Short mmCIF file of all heavy atoms in Angstrom, two decimals:
data_model
loop_
_atom_site.label_atom_id
_atom_site.label_comp_id
_atom_site.label_asym_id
_atom_site.label_seq_id
_atom_site.Cartn_x
_atom_site.Cartn_y
_atom_site.Cartn_z
N MET E 22 115.65 95.98 75.87
CA MET E 22 114.66 94.93 75.99
C MET E 22 114.50 94.48 77.44
O MET E 22 113.40 94.36 77.93
CB MET E 22 115.07 93.76 75.07
CG MET E 22 114.24 92.55 75.19
SD MET E 22 112.68 92.76 74.36
CE MET E 22 111.98 91.17 74.58
N LEU E 23 115.63 94.23 78.09
CA LEU E 23 115.57 93.78 79.48
C LEU E 23 115.02 94.87 80.39
O LEU E 23 114.25 94.58 81.31
CB LEU E 23 116.96 93.35 79.95
CG LEU E 23 117.04 92.80 81.38
CD1 LEU E 23 116.19 91.55 81.51
CD2 LEU E 23 118.46 92.51 81.77
N ALA E 24 115.36 96.13 80.11
CA ALA E 24 114.87 97.24 80.92
C ALA E 24 113.35 97.35 80.81
O ALA E 24 112.66 97.62 81.80
CB ALA E 24 115.53 98.54 80.51
N GLN E 25 112.82 97.13 79.61
CA GLN E 25 111.37 97.19 79.42
C GLN E 25 110.68 96.04 80.13
O GLN E 25 109.59 96.22 80.68
CB GLN E 25 111.03 97.17 77.93
CG GLN E 25 111.46 98.43 77.21
CD GLN E 25 111.27 98.32 75.71
OE1 GLN E 25 111.20 97.22 75.16
NE2 GLN E 25 111.21 99.46 75.05
N LEU E 26 111.29 94.88 80.12
CA LEU E 26 110.72 93.73 80.82
C LEU E 26 110.68 93.98 82.32
O LEU E 26 109.67 93.72 82.98
CB LEU E 26 111.53 92.47 80.51
CG LEU E 26 111.08 91.19 81.21
CD1 LEU E 26 109.70 90.79 80.74
CD2 LEU E 26 112.07 90.07 80.96
N ILE E 27 111.77 94.52 82.86
CA ILE E 27 111.82 94.82 84.29
C ILE E 27 110.79 95.89 84.64
O ILE E 27 110.10 95.79 85.66
CB ILE E 27 113.24 95.24 84.69
CG1 ILE E 27 114.18 94.04 84.61
CG2 ILE E 27 113.27 95.85 86.09
CD1 ILE E 27 115.64 94.37 84.79
N GLU E 28 110.65 96.89 83.78
CA GLU E 28 109.67 97.94 84.02
C GLU E 28 108.25 97.36 84.05
O GLU E 28 107.45 97.66 84.93
CB GLU E 28 109.77 99.01 82.94
CG GLU E 28 108.78 100.13 83.11
CD GLU E 28 108.89 101.19 82.02
OE1 GLU E 28 109.83 101.14 81.22
OE2 GLU E 28 108.00 102.06 81.99
N GLY E 29 107.94 96.52 83.09
CA GLY E 29 106.61 95.91 83.04
C GLY E 29 106.33 95.01 84.23
O GLY E 29 105.23 95.02 84.79
N LEU E 30 107.32 94.22 84.61
CA LEU E 30 107.13 93.31 85.74
C LEU E 30 106.98 94.05 87.06
O LEU E 30 106.14 93.68 87.89
CB LEU E 30 108.30 92.32 85.82
CG LEU E 30 108.34 91.26 84.74
CD1 LEU E 30 109.60 90.42 84.86
CD2 LEU E 30 107.11 90.37 84.79
N THR E 31 107.76 95.12 87.26
CA THR E 31 107.63 95.88 88.51
C THR E 31 106.30 96.63 88.55
O THR E 31 105.68 96.73 89.61
CB THR E 31 108.80 96.85 88.71
OG1 THR E 31 108.91 97.71 87.58
CG2 THR E 31 110.10 96.11 88.93
N ASP E 32 105.85 97.14 87.39
CA ASP E 32 104.53 97.79 87.35
C ASP E 32 103.43 96.79 87.70
O ASP E 32 102.54 97.08 88.50
CB ASP E 32 104.26 98.37 85.97
CG ASP E 32 104.96 99.69 85.73
OD1 ASP E 32 105.56 100.23 86.68
OD2 ASP E 32 104.90 100.19 84.58
N ALA E 33 103.50 95.60 87.10
CA ALA E 33 102.49 94.58 87.36
C ALA E 33 102.52 94.14 88.82
O ALA E 33 101.47 93.98 89.45
CB ALA E 33 102.70 93.39 86.44
N LEU E 34 103.71 93.94 89.35
CA LEU E 34 103.84 93.52 90.74
C LEU E 34 103.30 94.58 91.69
O LEU E 34 102.58 94.27 92.64
CB LEU E 34 105.30 93.21 91.04
CG LEU E 34 105.60 92.58 92.40
CD1 LEU E 34 104.94 91.21 92.50
CD2 LEU E 34 107.09 92.45 92.59
N GLY E 35 103.63 95.84 91.43
CA GLY E 35 103.12 96.92 92.27
C GLY E 35 101.61 97.00 92.22
O GLY E 35 100.94 97.18 93.25
N PHE E 36 101.03 96.85 91.02
CA PHE E 36 99.58 96.89 90.88
C PHE E 36 98.91 95.75 91.64
O PHE E 36 97.94 95.95 92.37
CB PHE E 36 99.17 96.85 89.41
CG PHE E 36 97.69 96.87 89.21
CD1 PHE E 36 97.00 98.07 89.23
CD2 PHE E 36 96.98 95.70 89.02
CE1 PHE E 36 95.62 98.10 89.07
CE2 PHE E 36 95.61 95.71 88.86
CZ PHE E 36 94.92 96.92 88.88
N VAL E 37 99.43 94.54 91.46
CA VAL E 37 98.81 93.36 92.10
C VAL E 37 98.91 93.46 93.62
O VAL E 37 97.94 93.19 94.34
CB VAL E 37 99.44 92.06 91.57
CG1 VAL E 37 99.03 90.86 92.40
CG2 VAL E 37 99.06 91.85 90.11
N ILE E 38 100.08 93.85 94.12
CA ILE E 38 100.24 93.97 95.57
C ILE E 38 99.30 95.05 96.13
O ILE E 38 98.64 94.85 97.14
CB ILE E 38 101.71 94.25 95.94
CG1 ILE E 38 102.55 93.00 95.68
CG2 ILE E 38 101.84 94.69 97.39
CD1 ILE E 38 104.03 93.21 95.84
N GLY E 39 99.22 96.18 95.44
CA GLY E 39 98.32 97.24 95.88
C GLY E 39 96.86 96.81 95.85
O GLY E 39 96.09 97.10 96.76
N ALA E 40 96.46 96.11 94.78
CA ALA E 40 95.09 95.64 94.67
C ALA E 40 94.77 94.63 95.77
O ALA E 40 93.68 94.65 96.36
CB ALA E 40 94.85 95.02 93.30
N LEU E 41 95.72 93.75 96.08
CA LEU E 41 95.49 92.78 97.15
C LEU E 41 95.39 93.47 98.51
O LEU E 41 94.59 93.06 99.36
CB LEU E 41 96.60 91.73 97.17
CG LEU E 41 96.56 90.71 96.04
CD1 LEU E 41 97.80 89.83 96.07
CD2 LEU E 41 95.30 89.86 96.13
N LEU E 42 96.19 94.51 98.71
CA LEU E 42 96.08 95.26 99.96
C LEU E 42 94.73 95.98 100.05
O LEU E 42 94.11 96.03 101.12
CB LEU E 42 97.22 96.27 100.09
CG LEU E 42 98.59 95.67 100.38
CD1 LEU E 42 99.67 96.74 100.29
CD2 LEU E 42 98.62 94.99 101.73
N GLY E 43 94.26 96.52 98.93
CA GLY E 43 92.94 97.14 98.89
C GLY E 43 91.84 96.13 99.17
O GLY E 43 90.88 96.41 99.90
N TYR E 44 91.97 94.95 98.59
CA TYR E 44 91.00 93.88 98.84
C TYR E 44 91.01 93.47 100.31
O TYR E 44 89.96 93.31 100.93
CB TYR E 44 91.30 92.67 97.95
CG TYR E 44 90.42 91.49 98.24
CD1 TYR E 44 89.10 91.49 97.83
CD2 TYR E 44 90.90 90.38 98.91
CE1 TYR E 44 88.28 90.41 98.09
CE2 TYR E 44 90.10 89.29 99.18
CZ TYR E 44 88.79 89.30 98.77
OH TYR E 44 87.98 88.24 99.04
N GLY E 45 92.21 93.32 100.87
CA GLY E 45 92.33 92.97 102.28
C GLY E 45 91.73 94.02 103.19
O GLY E 45 91.10 93.70 104.20
N LEU E 46 91.91 95.28 102.84
CA LEU E 46 91.31 96.36 103.62
C LEU E 46 89.79 96.28 103.57
O LEU E 46 89.11 96.45 104.58
CB LEU E 46 91.80 97.71 103.10
CG LEU E 46 91.43 98.94 103.89
CD1 LEU E 46 92.02 98.88 105.29
CD2 LEU E 46 91.91 100.18 103.16
N GLY E 47 89.27 95.98 102.38
CA GLY E 47 87.82 95.82 102.25
C GLY E 47 87.29 94.65 103.07
O GLY E 47 86.26 94.76 103.73
N VAL E 48 88.00 93.54 103.05
CA VAL E 48 87.59 92.37 103.84
C VAL E 48 87.65 92.69 105.33
O VAL E 48 86.78 92.29 106.10
CB VAL E 48 88.47 91.15 103.50
CG1 VAL E 48 88.27 90.01 104.48
CG2 VAL E 48 88.20 90.68 102.08
N THR E 49 88.67 93.46 105.73
CA THR E 49 88.79 93.85 107.13
C THR E 49 87.58 94.64 107.59
O THR E 49 87.11 94.47 108.71
CB THR E 49 90.08 94.70 107.33
OG1 THR E 49 91.20 93.93 106.93
CG2 THR E 49 90.23 95.12 108.78
N PHE E 50 87.05 95.49 106.71
CA PHE E 50 85.87 96.29 107.04
C PHE E 50 84.56 95.56 106.76
O PHE E 50 83.48 96.13 106.89
CB PHE E 50 85.88 97.62 106.29
CG PHE E 50 86.92 98.58 106.79
CD1 PHE E 50 87.84 99.12 105.92
CD2 PHE E 50 86.97 98.95 108.12
CE1 PHE E 50 88.80 100.00 106.35
CE2 PHE E 50 87.92 99.84 108.58
CZ PHE E 50 88.84 100.37 107.70
N GLY E 51 84.65 94.30 106.35
CA GLY E 51 83.45 93.50 106.12
C GLY E 51 82.78 93.76 104.79
O GLY E 51 81.58 93.49 104.64
N LEU E 52 83.52 94.28 103.81
CA LEU E 52 82.95 94.57 102.50
C LEU E 52 83.23 93.40 101.57
O LEU E 52 84.35 92.91 101.49
CB LEU E 52 83.57 95.85 101.92
CG LEU E 52 83.42 97.09 102.79
CD1 LEU E 52 84.24 98.23 102.22
CD2 LEU E 52 81.97 97.49 102.91
N ASN E 53 82.21 92.96 100.85
CA ASN E 53 82.34 91.81 99.96
C ASN E 53 82.43 92.29 98.53
O ASN E 53 81.45 92.79 97.97
CB ASN E 53 81.16 90.86 100.14
CG ASN E 53 81.33 89.58 99.36
OD1 ASN E 53 82.34 89.36 98.71
ND2 ASN E 53 80.33 88.72 99.43
N LEU E 54 83.59 92.16 97.94
CA LEU E 54 83.81 92.59 96.56
C LEU E 54 82.94 91.80 95.60
O LEU E 54 82.45 92.34 94.60
CB LEU E 54 85.29 92.41 96.20
CG LEU E 54 85.70 92.68 94.77
CD1 LEU E 54 85.56 94.15 94.45
CD2 LEU E 54 87.12 92.23 94.54
N PHE E 55 82.71 90.54 95.88
CA PHE E 55 82.00 89.65 94.96
C PHE E 55 80.55 89.44 95.35
O PHE E 55 79.94 88.44 94.99
CB PHE E 55 82.73 88.30 94.88
CG PHE E 55 84.16 88.45 94.45
CD1 PHE E 55 85.20 88.26 95.34
CD2 PHE E 55 84.47 88.78 93.15
CE1 PHE E 55 86.51 88.40 94.95
CE2 PHE E 55 85.78 88.93 92.74
CZ PHE E 55 86.81 88.73 93.63
N ALA E 56 79.97 90.41 96.06
CA ALA E 56 78.57 90.30 96.45
C ALA E 56 77.68 90.40 95.21
O ALA E 56 78.04 91.02 94.21
CB ALA E 56 78.21 91.40 97.43
N GLU E 57 76.51 89.77 95.30
CA GLU E 57 75.58 89.81 94.19
C GLU E 57 75.01 91.23 94.06
O GLU E 57 74.62 91.86 95.03
CB GLU E 57 74.45 88.81 94.43
CG GLU E 57 73.54 88.64 93.26
CD GLU E 57 72.53 87.53 93.48
OE1 GLU E 57 72.82 86.60 94.25
OE2 GLU E 57 71.46 87.63 92.88
N GLY E 58 74.98 91.72 92.86
CA GLY E 58 74.48 93.07 92.61
C GLY E 58 75.54 94.11 92.90
O GLY E 58 76.70 93.80 93.16
N TYR E 59 75.14 95.35 92.80
CA TYR E 59 76.06 96.46 93.05
C TYR E 59 75.55 97.30 94.20
O TYR E 59 75.15 98.44 94.03
CB TYR E 59 76.22 97.32 91.79
CG TYR E 59 76.99 96.64 90.69
CD1 TYR E 59 76.35 96.15 89.56
CD2 TYR E 59 78.36 96.47 90.80
CE1 TYR E 59 77.07 95.53 88.56
CE2 TYR E 59 79.09 95.84 89.81
CZ TYR E 59 78.43 95.38 88.69
OH TYR E 59 79.14 94.76 87.70
N GLY E 60 75.63 96.75 95.40
CA GLY E 60 75.26 97.49 96.58
C GLY E 60 76.38 98.44 96.98
O GLY E 60 77.47 98.46 96.39
N ALA E 61 76.11 99.23 98.00
CA ALA E 61 77.09 100.22 98.45
C ALA E 61 78.38 99.54 98.92
O ALA E 61 79.48 100.00 98.60
CB ALA E 61 76.50 101.06 99.57
N GLY E 62 78.26 98.45 99.66
CA GLY E 62 79.45 97.75 100.15
C GLY E 62 80.29 97.19 99.03
O GLY E 62 81.53 97.27 99.05
N SER E 63 79.63 96.65 98.02
CA SER E 63 80.35 96.10 96.88
C SER E 63 81.05 97.20 96.09
O SER E 63 82.20 97.04 95.66
CB SER E 63 79.38 95.34 95.99
OG SER E 63 80.04 94.82 94.86
N MET E 64 80.40 98.33 95.92
CA MET E 64 81.00 99.45 95.19
C MET E 64 82.21 100.02 95.94
O MET E 64 83.22 100.36 95.32
CB MET E 64 79.96 100.55 94.96
CG MET E 64 78.85 100.14 94.02
SD MET E 64 79.41 99.70 92.38
CE MET E 64 79.87 101.29 91.76
N ILE E 65 82.12 100.11 97.25
CA ILE E 65 83.24 100.60 98.04
C ILE E 65 84.41 99.62 97.96
O ILE E 65 85.57 100.02 97.85
CB ILE E 65 82.82 100.86 99.50
CG1 ILE E 65 81.83 102.03 99.55
CG2 ILE E 65 84.02 101.16 100.38
CD1 ILE E 65 81.17 102.24 100.89
N ALA E 66 84.11 98.31 97.99
CA ALA E 66 85.16 97.30 97.87
C ALA E 66 85.85 97.40 96.51
O ALA E 66 87.07 97.31 96.41
CB ALA E 66 84.58 95.91 98.08
N ILE E 67 85.08 97.60 95.44
CA ILE E 67 85.65 97.76 94.11
C ILE E 67 86.53 99.01 94.07
O ILE E 67 87.63 99.00 93.50
CB ILE E 67 84.54 97.83 93.04
CG1 ILE E 67 83.84 96.47 92.93
CG2 ILE E 67 85.08 98.28 91.69
CD1 ILE E 67 82.57 96.49 92.11
N LEU E 68 86.07 100.07 94.69
CA LEU E 68 86.85 101.31 94.75
C LEU E 68 88.16 101.10 95.49
O LEU E 68 89.22 101.57 95.05
CB LEU E 68 86.03 102.40 95.43
CG LEU E 68 86.70 103.75 95.61
CD1 LEU E 68 86.85 104.44 94.26
CD2 LEU E 68 85.89 104.62 96.54
N LEU E 69 88.13 100.37 96.61
CA LEU E 69 89.35 100.11 97.37
C LEU E 69 90.36 99.29 96.57
O LEU E 69 91.56 99.56 96.62
CB LEU E 69 89.02 99.39 98.68
CG LEU E 69 88.38 100.23 99.77
CD1 LEU E 69 87.96 99.35 100.94
CD2 LEU E 69 89.33 101.31 100.23
N VAL E 70 89.88 98.31 95.83
CA VAL E 70 90.79 97.50 95.00
C VAL E 70 91.40 98.35 93.90
O VAL E 70 92.60 98.28 93.65
CB VAL E 70 90.05 96.27 94.42
CG1 VAL E 70 90.90 95.56 93.37
CG2 VAL E 70 89.67 95.31 95.53
N GLY E 71 90.60 99.18 93.27
CA GLY E 71 91.11 100.05 92.21
C GLY E 71 92.11 101.07 92.73
O GLY E 71 93.17 101.28 92.13
N LEU E 72 91.77 101.70 93.84
CA LEU E 72 92.70 102.66 94.44
C LEU E 72 93.99 101.99 94.91
O LEU E 72 95.07 102.53 94.71
CB LEU E 72 92.03 103.38 95.62
CG LEU E 72 91.02 104.45 95.27
CD1 LEU E 72 90.33 104.96 96.52
CD2 LEU E 72 91.66 105.58 94.51
N GLY E 73 93.85 100.83 95.51
CA GLY E 73 95.03 100.10 95.96
C GLY E 73 95.93 99.73 94.80
O GLY E 73 97.16 99.87 94.87
N GLY E 74 95.34 99.29 93.70
CA GLY E 74 96.13 98.95 92.52
C GLY E 74 96.83 100.16 91.94
O GLY E 74 98.01 100.10 91.58
N GLY E 75 96.14 101.27 91.86
CA GLY E 75 96.74 102.49 91.34
C GLY E 75 97.85 103.02 92.23
O GLY E 75 98.92 103.43 91.75
N ILE E 76 97.63 102.98 93.53
CA ILE E 76 98.66 103.43 94.47
C ILE E 76 99.87 102.51 94.42
O ILE E 76 101.02 102.96 94.46
CB ILE E 76 98.07 103.55 95.89
CG1 ILE E 76 97.08 104.71 95.95
CG2 ILE E 76 99.18 103.72 96.93
CD1 ILE E 76 96.27 104.77 97.23
N GLY E 77 99.62 101.20 94.33
CA GLY E 77 100.73 100.25 94.22
C GLY E 77 101.55 100.45 92.95
O GLY E 77 102.77 100.38 92.97
N LEU E 78 100.86 100.73 91.85
CA LEU E 78 101.55 100.99 90.58
C LEU E 78 102.42 102.25 90.69
O LEU E 78 103.58 102.25 90.29
CB LEU E 78 100.53 101.15 89.45
CG LEU E 78 101.07 101.59 88.09
CD1 LEU E 78 102.01 100.54 87.53
CD2 LEU E 78 99.93 101.85 87.16
N GLN E 79 101.85 103.31 91.24
CA GLN E 79 102.61 104.55 91.38
C GLN E 79 103.78 104.39 92.35
O GLN E 79 104.86 104.96 92.13
CB GLN E 79 101.70 105.69 91.83
CG GLN E 79 100.68 106.09 90.79
CD GLN E 79 101.31 106.51 89.48
OE1 GLN E 79 102.27 107.27 89.46
NE2 GLN E 79 100.78 105.99 88.39
N ALA E 80 103.58 103.60 93.40
CA ALA E 80 104.68 103.36 94.35
C ALA E 80 105.82 102.59 93.68
O ALA E 80 106.99 102.90 93.89
CB ALA E 80 104.16 102.59 95.56
N ALA E 81 105.47 101.60 92.85
CA ALA E 81 106.50 100.83 92.14
C ALA E 81 107.28 101.74 91.19
O ALA E 81 108.51 101.66 91.12
CB ALA E 81 105.86 99.68 91.37
N ARG E 82 106.57 102.62 90.49
CA ARG E 82 107.25 103.54 89.57
C ARG E 82 108.14 104.52 90.33
O ARG E 82 109.24 104.85 89.89
CB ARG E 82 106.23 104.31 88.73
CG ARG E 82 105.57 103.43 87.70
CD ARG E 82 104.59 104.18 86.87
NE ARG E 82 104.04 103.31 85.84
CZ ARG E 82 103.09 103.67 85.00
NH1 ARG E 82 102.59 104.89 85.06
NH2 ARG E 82 102.65 102.83 84.10
N HIS E 83 107.66 105.00 91.46
CA HIS E 83 108.43 105.92 92.27
C HIS E 83 109.72 105.26 92.78
O HIS E 83 110.80 105.85 92.70
CB HIS E 83 107.59 106.44 93.44
CG HIS E 83 108.33 107.31 94.39
ND1 HIS E 83 108.67 108.61 94.07
CD2 HIS E 83 108.82 107.08 95.62
CE1 HIS E 83 109.33 109.14 95.09
NE2 HIS E 83 109.44 108.22 96.04
N LEU E 84 109.58 104.05 93.28
CA LEU E 84 110.76 103.34 93.79
C LEU E 84 111.76 103.03 92.67
O LEU E 84 112.97 103.11 92.87
CB LEU E 84 110.34 102.04 94.49
CG LEU E 84 109.59 102.22 95.81
CD1 LEU E 84 109.08 100.88 96.30
CD2 LEU E 84 110.46 102.88 96.84
N ARG E 85 111.23 102.69 91.50
CA ARG E 85 112.11 102.38 90.37
C ARG E 85 112.87 103.63 89.91
O ARG E 85 114.08 103.57 89.66
CB ARG E 85 111.30 101.80 89.22
CG ARG E 85 112.14 101.19 88.14
CD ARG E 85 111.33 100.50 87.06
NE ARG E 85 110.34 101.38 86.47
CZ ARG E 85 109.02 101.17 86.51
NH1 ARG E 85 108.53 100.10 87.11
NH2 ARG E 85 108.18 102.00 85.95
N THR E 86 112.21 104.77 89.83
CA THR E 86 112.90 105.99 89.41
C THR E 86 113.87 106.47 90.48
O THR E 86 114.94 107.00 90.17
CB THR E 86 111.92 107.12 89.07
OG1 THR E 86 111.07 107.38 90.17
CG2 THR E 86 111.09 106.75 87.84
N ARG E 87 113.51 106.31 91.73
CA ARG E 87 114.41 106.70 92.81
C ARG E 87 115.68 105.85 92.79
O ARG E 87 116.77 106.36 92.98
CB ARG E 87 113.70 106.57 94.17
CG ARG E 87 114.47 107.29 95.29
CD ARG E 87 113.65 107.35 96.52
NE ARG E 87 113.90 106.12 97.27
CZ ARG E 87 113.26 105.79 98.38
NH1 ARG E 87 112.33 106.57 98.84
NH2 ARG E 87 113.54 104.68 99.00
N LYS E 88 115.52 104.56 92.53
CA LYS E 88 116.69 103.68 92.44
C LYS E 88 117.55 104.06 91.23
O LYS E 88 118.77 104.04 91.30
CB LYS E 88 116.26 102.22 92.34
CG LYS E 88 117.42 101.24 92.34
CD LYS E 88 116.94 99.83 92.23
CE LYS E 88 118.02 98.81 92.23
NZ LYS E 88 119.14 99.07 91.37
N ALA E 89 116.92 104.41 90.11
CA ALA E 89 117.66 104.78 88.91
C ALA E 89 118.44 106.09 89.13
O ALA E 89 119.54 106.25 88.61
CB ALA E 89 116.71 104.94 87.73
N GLN E 90 117.90 107.00 89.91
CA GLN E 90 118.59 108.25 90.19
C GLN E 90 119.79 108.03 91.10
O GLN E 90 120.78 108.76 91.01
CB GLN E 90 117.64 109.27 90.83
CG GLN E 90 116.61 109.81 89.88
CD GLN E 90 115.60 110.70 90.57
OE1 GLN E 90 115.58 110.81 91.80
NE2 GLN E 90 114.74 111.34 89.78
N GLN E 91 119.72 107.04 91.97
CA GLN E 91 120.83 106.75 92.88
C GLN E 91 122.00 106.10 92.13
O GLN E 91 123.14 106.24 92.53
CB GLN E 91 120.38 105.84 94.02
CG GLN E 91 119.48 106.52 95.01
CD GLN E 91 118.97 105.56 96.06
OE1 GLN E 91 119.19 104.37 95.98
NE2 GLN E 91 118.29 106.09 97.06
N ASP E 92 121.70 105.37 91.06
CA ASP E 92 122.76 104.67 90.31
C ASP E 92 123.55 105.59 89.44
O ASP E 92 123.65 106.59 89.18
CB ASP E 92 122.16 103.56 89.43
CG ASP E 92 121.64 102.42 90.29
OD1 ASP E 92 122.01 102.32 91.46
OD2 ASP E 92 120.84 101.64 89.75
#
């Protein structure tokens, strides 16, 4: 039970951190995620947030399995 809770929390944390980094990257390039309509800039910002979240999730899983192999 505790292992599943830790797995879920680390997955969620990795996703949120990655998504925030993707959002920050979009803001750095002047892309507005919450712009009205679906313009090119808004679509690219949505893509960056999604990619960042996915990469963060995979990084969290990778780090968790690497730590488990070391133990």
